[in-house]
Amino acid sequence: MIHSDLIIIGSGPGGYRAAHHAALHGLSVVIIEKAEAGGTCLNRGCIPTKTLCRNAEIVDTLRHADTFGLMGEGYSLDFGRVMERKQEIVGQLRSGVETLMQTPGITLVRGTASFADAHTVAVGNEQYTAENIIIATGSDSKCPPIEGTTLPGVVTSTELLDIDHLPKRLCIIGAGVIGMEFASVFSSFGSNVTVIEFLKECLPVLDSDIAKRLRQTIGKRGVEFYMQSAVKSITQTDAEDGTKQLTVSFEKKGKPVSIDADMVLIATGRKPCTEGLALEQAGIEHSPKGIVVGDDFQTNVSGVYAIGDVNGRCLLAHAATFQGLHVVNRILNRPDDIRFDVMPSAIFTNPEAASVGLSEDQLKAEQRPYECRKGFYRSNGKALAMNETDGMIKLLVDTTNDQRIVGCHAFGAHSADMVQEIAALMNSGTTLQQLANIIHIHPTLSEILHDMAL
């Protein structure tokens, strides 16, 4: 039996950052990983998808090359090279995480972890004990209970990131972050993309006004959307050329509709990875939504914590990272001022979208007095120079509290960068007048934020 100060199960952004932080402050750490170092985010999520997003952005820019005076410069997309570049970047970053796990004080254990009791974890024939344990096992793709999800050509984001050819027709079920990013990417690459969504609007994490405008912008590029539509089945049928194809049948406002595709992406959400952990052996409370935790991410078992996707609170890599840092700080009795109510997020479509804090929809639902300021890219000099005039920002302030900023939702080029500025200001309780007093560089997109505050 091997004893350490801290055991971490999972080496994704939450796990490996927590391990490094703990080791730097003198704790002995055992981190257990059953697959690749870096977790879903690095290997099958954030990093590979953002690599593809960058490729797609370049393709979109080349389509408008004549706007910049580049005439007759033809190009062709080498999809194999696109995927090869993705793997190179993933490999480089994974190697970096593995090097980080060689920090003195950290022991990386390869294998599948399961609880033997509340403070003992088994990996194969070896047992590890610690006073404090962090569960950081992340999440997996969740498939809806519809017929045909196991057919060849029906994939989750994991399989789509490893395909070796560009599908001519791609049908995406789900218009959340994953579905919208892949819709944008594969449309740019040249696929005919259709998105089917059960809800009235895409991206429920966003302000509905921003989400609608983003969907319309992407729709103008050729992506076809079927909103308020319920998928009934996926079947394999014969195409006109005799090859096999997939037919997705669904209902839109009570009327049956079907579309044909060469590949179908299931992008209907994520589920926590708890299978095989033997949580019952430790008495850890959990549900299909995730491991139940309190405000400090401690489970019902003292000294056992759950961070990131596995607790179901906020399915973002940076949320997992900061939850992990907070837990380690708590173990070390080091106070911090991390504000988990100020959680920025981004969707890397083209144009991208981002948000932090409350939306106008939420403020209306809570009947809170507020003011909404709007800014548009089309009147910004840098946006015009970039040929990126599709974009809008909404800044929301509390009119009962010195016009303190309580939210920002945006779509348009580099909107994530501008929302990050607002997130920093919100962490300091900044008011609209204080934003107006901050000098912004000219010419930049961030001047849109300054103009909104005047």
Side-chain angles (χ1 to χ4, degrees), residues 341-352:
D341 61 320
V342 181
M343 185 64 69
S345 65
I347 301 99
F348 291 96
T349 48
N350 190 15
E352 69 188 41

Side-chain angles (χ1 to χ4, degrees), residues 7 9 114-121 128-135 278-284 299-305:
I7 294 171
I9 306 173
S114 62
F115 280 89
D117 60 45
H119 292 280
T120 305
V121 175
Y128 300 84
T129 66
E131 184 178 345
N132 295 288
I133 298 175
I134 298 175
I135 304 168
L279 297 176
E280 63 281 357
Q281 293 294 111
I284 298 169
T299 69
N300 62 305
V301 177
S302 179
V304 179
Y305 303 84

Side-chain angles (χ1 to χ4, degrees), residues 50 53 176-178 180-181 203 205-206 214 345-355 410 415-416:
K50 261 38 94 184
C53 287
V177 174
I178 295 171
M180 291 295 285
E181 286 187 350
L203 298 167
V205 296
L206 274 184
L214 176 64
S345 65
I347 301 99
F348 291 96
T349 48
N350 190 15
E352 69 188 41
S355 67
S415 59

